[in-house]
Amino acid sequence: MTDKPIRIAIQLAPQHADYAVIRDAVRRVEDLGADVVFNWDHFFPLSGDPDGLHYEAWTMLAAIAESTSRIEFGPLVNCNSYRNPDLQADMARTVDHISAKGGVGRFIFGTGSGWFERDYEEYGYDFGTVGSRLDALAEDLPRIRARWEMLNPAPTRRIPILIGGGGEKKTLRLVAEHADIWHSFSDPETLERKLAILDEHCAAVGRDRGEIEISTGVSVRGMGSLDPHVLERQYALGVRLFEASASGPDYDLAPLEQLLAWRASFGA
């Protein structure tokens, strides 16, 4: 686990900006040297004007696949409730191939159980409960993996599965069973506790937790600066994928630039 390199990511919220601005932000992120760019899978803004500009995730992911050449990318996270699991698998496989400029795709299948009730209500999906949505995710992940085995052509690589969320009973069990990457928004104290629980789930399913890349969102302090001491504590706990965030209309990439600078100087 400890020999994994530090990777830097950013989530570009697909809200409050014209698509041309989002496309330009993705290109700037790749040019800066980030490893991963994420969007999210919602139908309405999560902050600011609730009826502001917003775009759908998966069609945008296909465009990102075509317009980039190096960076990995994916949804943070796909909502399992919105699409049949076999369709999700086929969509992921297709985007994987679109992104394979050098023969190997760059798509990360970030997924979760969904939570934003307005998405469900306005698009006609059954909201259910937290438990029922997680149960559905548990049922669907094996179907997604099985469909990848049946598709022709097959994915260009074993598509990494990222699972987002910190639920200790069900979500972390799914992480132990299925995830290549676990993402949360955890301060060091919370992260330490949840990693201990993840260790228990991994032991129960016979999985080496060192196989799972630990990812966390980072937050900025006053004056928009990152706290390097928090980053170092998260690193010591095993975090290797650090994710900043930016939103329209302007997509301020300063937090990403700070993360990249921190990585460059870390351990120097």
Side-chain angles (χ1 to χ4, degrees):
M1 178 175 63
T2 56
D3 60 351
K4 291 180 179 178
I6 295 173
R7 301 204 298 160
I8 303 299
I10 188 167
Q11 183 185 54
L12 300 178
Q15 61 179 12
H16 306 310
D18 289 323
Y19 177 69
V21 176
I22 301 173
R23 180 177 58 212
D24 177 68
V26 170
R27 290 172 176 167
R28 288 191 288 139
V29 166
E30 184 170 50
D31 290 345
L32 283 169
D35 300 290
V36 187
V37 62
F38 294 111
N39 63 6
W40 68 34
D41 188 18
H42 294 287
F43 305 129
F44 303 95
L46 298 184
S47 61
D49 180 359
D51 296 311
L53 298 173
H54 198 278
Y55 293 95
E56 192 276 327
W58 278 88
T59 42
M60 182 180 293
L61 290 167
I64 292 172
E66 193 65 74
S67 64
T68 58
S69 61
R70 176 194 57 80
I71 199 166
E72 289 192 295
F73 65 99
L76 190 65
V77 288
N78 167 72
C79 180
N80 183 67
S81 305
Y82 302 159
R83 306 163 190 91
N84 170 282
D86 295 274
L87 175 60
Q88 293 178 55
D90 205 340
M91 292 163 64
R93 181 280 311 252
T94 299
V95 173
D96 168 70
H97 274 268
I98 294 171
S99 71
K101 302 296 177 63
V104 178
R106 295 171 285 118
F107 182 70
I108 296 172
F109 183 65
T111 195
S113 59
W115 63 272
F116 189 43
E117 189 169 4
R118 185 184 180 191
D119 288 337
Y120 289 80
E121 290 180 346
E122 296 216 23
Y123 277 59
Y125 297 109
D126 178 22
F127 189 53
T129 65
V130 172
S132 68
R133 295 193 300 274
L134 280 167
D135 289 344
L137 181 62
E139 292 176 4
D140 291 346
L141 281 167
R143 284 182 59 181
I144 290 166
R145 286 193 180 279
R147 180 57 59 184
W148 282 338
E149 296 294 326
M150 292 185 281
L151 289 169
N152 184 17
T156 68
R157 64 172 181 168
R158 185 181 182 278
I159 296 175
I161 293 176
L162 177 155
I163 294 178
E168 296 175 1
K169 182 178 179 181
K170 291 187 176 182
T171 301
L172 291 182
R173 176 75 177 207
L174 292 176
V175 171
E177 292 176 337
H178 298 287
D180 301 287
I181 306 168
W182 171 50
H183 181 84
S184 69
F185 296 89
S186 298
D187 58 47
E189 292 76 19
T190 302
L191 181 64
E192 186 171 18
R193 186 185 76 251
K194 291 185 182 295
L195 285 173
I197 295 167
L198 179 57
D199 283 338
E200 294 174 1
H201 286 302
C202 285
V205 302
R207 179 98 185 270
D208 178 0
R209 202 254 287 174
E211 299 173 359
I212 303 170
E213 184 175 27
I214 307 302
S215 171
T216 188
V218 301
S219 58
V220 296
R221 302 178 295 182
M223 305 300 292
S225 62
L226 299 175
D227 186 341
H229 300 295
V230 171
L231 300 178
E232 290 163 12
R233 290 176 65 192
Q234 291 169 328
Y235 177 87
L237 289 168
V239 174
R240 292 298 181 268
L241 180 58
F242 293 85
E243 176 257 320
S245 60
S247 178
D250 300 319
Y251 294 101
D252 178 9
L253 301 184
L256 173 64
E257 293 173 325
Q258 291 178 48
L259 271 179
L260 290 166
W262 170 78
R263 176 174 66 177
S265 65
F266 183 71

